[in-house]
Amino acid sequence: MQFHFNREKILIIDFGSQVTKLIARRIREFGVYSEIITPEKLQNLKDFNKIKGIILSGGPSTVTKYKFQTVPKKLFSKKIPILGICYGFQLIAKLHGGKIKATKKRREFGRAAISEKRKSPLTKNFFQSKKNVWMSHEDAVIKLPKNFKIVASTKDSRLTIIENRKKNIYGVQFHPEVTHTDNGNQIFKNFIFSICKIKKNWNVSSQKNKIIQDIKNIVKKERVICALSGGVDSSVVALLINKAIKKKLICIMVDTGLMRKNEFKHTFKIFKNKYKLNVRLINASKFFLKKLKNIENPEKKRKIIGGLFVNIFEKESKKIKNVKFLAQGTLYPDIIESRSSTGSKTSKIKSHHNVGGLPKKMNLKLLEPLKEFFKDEVRVLGKSLGLTKKILNRHPFPGPGLGIRIIGNIEKEKIKILQEVDHIYINELIKFNLYGKIWQAYAALLPIKTVGVMGDSRTYEYTCLLRAVTSEDGMTADYFSFPKDFLDKISNKIVNNVKGVNRVVYDITSKPPSTIELE
Ligand code: XMP
């Protein structure tokens, strides 16, 4: 199969937890290949040969109802070690005769102190001086299933870790995959290496040649187009395909005019001159500005920008003859169908747009060489392809760009002001050695003018907002704590250098309840 890695693996059954992807990431970070599948897909899985261990994830379901998400009971007799996490743990207990109760009294959210009750191969070197685990559950296992033993307890959950060592089945009520659990990685290390006895078999950069060969085999003599944004994903896709088919890859960069100062043209030059890509730059800033005139609603802006991007890309690609493939930077997290496994509909917060979301009606075959990889793995691939550090370590930048960072009405003058502010902000972060410590930083322009005083004169100008967050995957985020001297410096420098701004504010909300972008 294309871009598929047929090797020994740890299989993760996804019951819809928000953090299932982290389990797979942790395991791959230890050099072991892991894959996520839904319980539905598990039903049809015939070949368990390469599966050396199974992890049942957490999820919103409850085994206390008549109908609940489950796995075939025969999974437990395949002699493959199994670890259940949170819901996965409750499911193991339920299927082995334990008792689970939905009780408000026993629910635990947040950190809980854990204490060891007996030694277990799962918890070797786990109980160090700090012993907090991260809990997020309402149901609790209140009766131990037959042939299981208690390994650890918290104040509110007597059954926090259980084991059936003979059958190699283990369950933990907490989430070892989140960083709030002290030493949580040790649980995975013990499970995969000591219990599953799987050998290290995953090294991202060594996959590079296989991917390039796969691309050659799939594309043969045809041509491929690719929307290049200069972000890490599309850049790595372009470099990989370029290595495989050279000039038969045509990259299109659509300049929306909503990019950071100088960034797009600079990126274009790098790809054209340094990497010798066949790349076309389309300046469409006037169209974007025209269509966005007087549009204040964030969702409308997103739809207009996304739609226009697709139209322009389609128009340009029609000018190129004999194209058979459209390359996209789809990543592994994009294709994990955890939502469909729970059947739950999540509320739509924002309509995301990125160059990966191009229309299917283009009648081109999709080429998605990164679809088995996580973002941090893509960075490793990029590094081994010689991608410049500047692009490799660039903070995420949303498809709609500055369009969703100019709050309210978008005007040419506002774009210029924001580009200047953002440019100063990012450069100062680099100078202060802070850029690499922050997951994402940017400046936004607020639609309010306030009074200030400069020299002896009154000013009445815009307010800009600075945002900087730490995060693991953008799903949750904490605001970054700047040293005071940086805040002093940055506010001075912005107000003194950017005409049109007389006030700087720093956003100190986390996600949730805020989001990272303002619109
Ligand atoms: P929010 O604002 O939802 O953002 O907390 C989470 C992450 O997603 C990025 N983002 C986008 N990325 N197209 C993208 O490619 C989009 O439309 C988009 N909107 C938000 C955001 O910058 C942050 O990294």
Side-chain angles (χ1 to χ4, degrees):
M1 201 196 286
Q2 302 164 5
F3 306 121
H4 190 80
F5 302 100
N6 187 20
R7 59 186 64 218
E8 289 192 343
K9 66 188 84 165
I10 300 290
L11 192 69
I12 298 155
I13 321 262
D14 180 16
F15 290 102
S17 155
Q18 297 283 342
V19 284
T20 303
K21 291 167 205 163
L22 284 181
I23 306 174
R25 257 181 69 173
R26 299 277 176 262
I27 294 171
R28 287 196 190 180
E29 277 161 19
F30 291 131
V32 168
Y33 186 59
S34 65
E35 261 181 32
I36 300 179
I37 65 167
T38 60
E40 290 78 16
K41 284 211 174 125
L42 176 74
Q43 305 279 357
N44 303 324
L45 196 67
K46 299 269 171 336
D47 184 8
F48 282 78
N49 242 340
K50 295 250 169 9
I51 298 166
K52 296 290 152 198
I54 293 175
I55 297 180
L56 310 179
S57 85
S61 189
T62 170
V63 298
T64 59
K65 295 259 165 67
Y66 174 67
K67 256 184 116 179
F68 55 91
Q69 283 203 299
T70 189
V71 292
K73 250 188 153 176
K74 57 179 192 278
L75 192 71
F76 297 94
S77 50
K78 290 192 184 295
K79 296 209 166 73
I80 302 174
I82 295 182
L83 169 67
I85 294 175
C86 198
Y87 177 77
F89 158 69
Q90 294 161 6
L91 182 63
I92 289 174
K94 173 86 180 173
L95 298 177
H96 291 84
K99 213 171 181 182
I100 294 89
K101 210 170 164 194
T103 154
K104 290 249 168 347
K105 246 166 83 192
R106 283 176 198 272
R107 71 183 194 172
E108 293 173 289
F109 289 97
R111 287 193 171 83
I114 189 168
S115 55
E116 187 175 20
K117 301 291 168 203
R118 65 166 23 234
K119 297 266 172 255
S120 163
L122 187 72
T123 52
K124 195 165 175 235
N125 300 327
F126 169 63
F127 295 99
Q128 294 178 336
S129 51
K130 285 183 7 199
K131 290 181 196 157
N132 280 321
V133 294
W134 184 260
M135 293 286 204
S136 176
H137 68 112
E138 282 195 27
D139 293 355
V141 182
I142 53 165
K143 191 185 134 214
L144 196 63
K146 213 173 148 209
N147 299 327
F148 278 76
K149 298 230 158 73
I150 299 178
V151 175
S153 309
T154 62
K155 187 165 106 341
D156 291 315
S157 294
R158 198 168 62 86
L159 289 93
T160 293
I161 306 182
I162 63 169
E163 66 167 19
N164 177 336
R165 210 180 292 186
K166 209 167 140 217
K167 287 192 144 178
N168 261 332
I169 304 174
Y170 300 81
V172 298
Q173 178 57 73
F174 57 93
H175 287 272
E177 69 276 28
V178 304
T179 47
H180 306 301
T181 291
D182 296 327
N183 205 18
N185 270 344
Q186 191 62 42
I187 297 278
F188 292 116
K189 259 195 222 167
N190 292 340
F191 181 67
I192 58 183
F193 295 123
S194 309
I195 297 170
C196 303
K197 300 196 183 339
I198 190 167
K199 297 228 165 52
K200 287 192 178 188
N201 63 357
W202 184 245
N203 170 337
V204 177
S205 33
S206 68
Q207 304 307 317
K208 190 179 74 187
N209 292 337
K210 178 187 181 296
I211 303 170
I212 293 169
Q213 193 52 49
D214 277 355
I215 295 171
K216 280 185 188 161
N217 295 344
I218 296 164
V219 173
K220 301 198 174 80
K221 294 203 165 114
E222 309 294 348
R223 298 175 105 182
V224 180
I225 50 165
C226 169
L228 185 59
S229 71
V232 182
D233 308 339
S234 64
S235 302
V236 172
V237 165
L239 289 189
L240 279 169
I241 302 177
N242 179 56
K243 281 245 184 283
I245 61 166
K246 302 277 179 247
K247 299 283 177 206
K248 278 184 288 160
L249 165 71
I250 300 111
C251 296
I252 297 177
M253 292 182 78
V254 180
D255 187 352
T256 60
L258 299 166
M259 307 297 181
R260 285 190 151 125
K261 188 181 172 186
N262 299 338
E263 198 169 84
F264 215 55
K265 288 203 175 85
H266 177 73
T267 311
F268 171 73
K269 276 190 196 144
I270 292 184
F271 281 109
K272 197 167 175 63
N273 302 335
K274 184 174 161 79
Y275 299 114
K276 311 274 181 239
L277 290 197
N278 190 353
V279 53
R280 300 180 184 183
L281 181 67
I282 312 298
N283 187 346
S285 45
K286 275 197 193 128
F287 289 114
F288 280 86
L289 208 57
K290 200 169 143 206
K291 291 271 180 200
L292 287 166
K293 201 170 172 201
N294 296 329
I295 306 291
E296 288 185 1
N297 180 297
E299 275 303 287
K300 270 197 189 149
K301 281 187 192 174
R302 282 177 169 273
K303 295 247 162 69
I304 290 172
I305 297 171
L308 205 52
F309 186 94
V310 166
N311 288 348
I312 292 169
F313 182 79
E314 250 185 314
K315 205 172 116 206
E316 287 306 315
S317 43
K318 277 189 187 138
K319 293 181 189 163
I320 305 163
K321 293 213 169 67
N322 301 327
V323 178
K324 282 269 156 57
F325 291 92
L326 171 67
Q328 294 202 143
T330 317
L331 302 190
Y332 192 44
D334 304 330
I335 61 159
I336 303 168
E337 299 147 303
S338 58
R339 297 272 182 268
S340 64
S341 78
T342 61
S344 71
K345 284 202 180 83
T346 50
S347 72
K348 188 160 112 198
I349 313 287
K350 298 172 184 184
S351 333
H352 268 225
H353 152 79
N354 57 35
V355 292
L358 291 168
K360 298 215 162 47
K361 66 172 184 179
M362 285 179 76
N363 267 338
L364 296 173
K365 284 188 199 157
L366 284 183
L367 190 65
E368 298 174 305
L370 300 180
K371 70 177 188 187
E372 298 284 337
F373 294 94
F374 285 104
K375 185 96 172 182
D376 38 359
E377 295 179 321
V378 172
R379 288 211 163 94
V380 176
L381 266 180
K383 195 169 170 203
S384 74
L385 286 158
L387 192 60
T388 61
K389 267 201 187 143
K390 210 169 163 191
I391 298 181
L392 216 49
N393 301 325
R394 206 173 256 175
H395 289 172
F397 187 72
L402 303 186
I404 53 166
R405 293 178 178 175
I406 293 169
I407 311 310
N409 201 9
I410 299 170
E411 290 158 16
K412 203 171 172 187
E413 181 217 356
K414 288 185 183 173
I415 299 177
K416 266 203 96 186
I417 292 176
L418 181 57
Q419 281 178 332
E420 289 306 323
V421 173
D422 187 76
H423 188 65
I424 293 174
Y425 181 38
I426 299 297
N427 279 346
E428 287 303 306
L429 286 176
I430 295 168
K431 263 199 228 156
F432 271 70
N433 220 2
L434 292 168
Y435 188 82
K437 297 183 180 139
I438 292 166
W439 194 77
Q440 186 170 12
Y442 69 85
L445 198 67
L446 303 183
I448 43 166
K449 286 190 170 181
T450 63
V451 175
V453 54
M454 284 179 103
D456 290 325
S457 312
R458 176 189 194 265
T459 57
Y460 186 60
E461 289 173 343
Y462 285 114
T463 299
C464 74
L465 173 144
L466 306 182
R467 187 104 166 104
V469 295
T470 54
S471 176
E472 198 155 6
D473 46 22
M475 276 165 52
T476 59
D478 291 313
Y479 76 86
F480 186 75
S481 290
F482 279 120
K484 185 173 176 305
D485 59 339
F486 177 80
L487 291 173
D488 293 346
K489 176 91 193 266
I490 196 69
S491 99
N492 251 326
K493 196 153 187 181
I494 290 171
V495 174
N496 287 341
N497 288 283
V498 186
K499 209 164 170 297
V501 172
N502 68 353
R503 198 173 292 272
V504 179
V505 296
Y506 183 51
D507 184 343
I508 53 164
T509 40
S510 293
K511 173 183 177 177
S514 277
T515 53
I516 295 177
E517 302 290 344
L518 302 191
E519 290 194 341

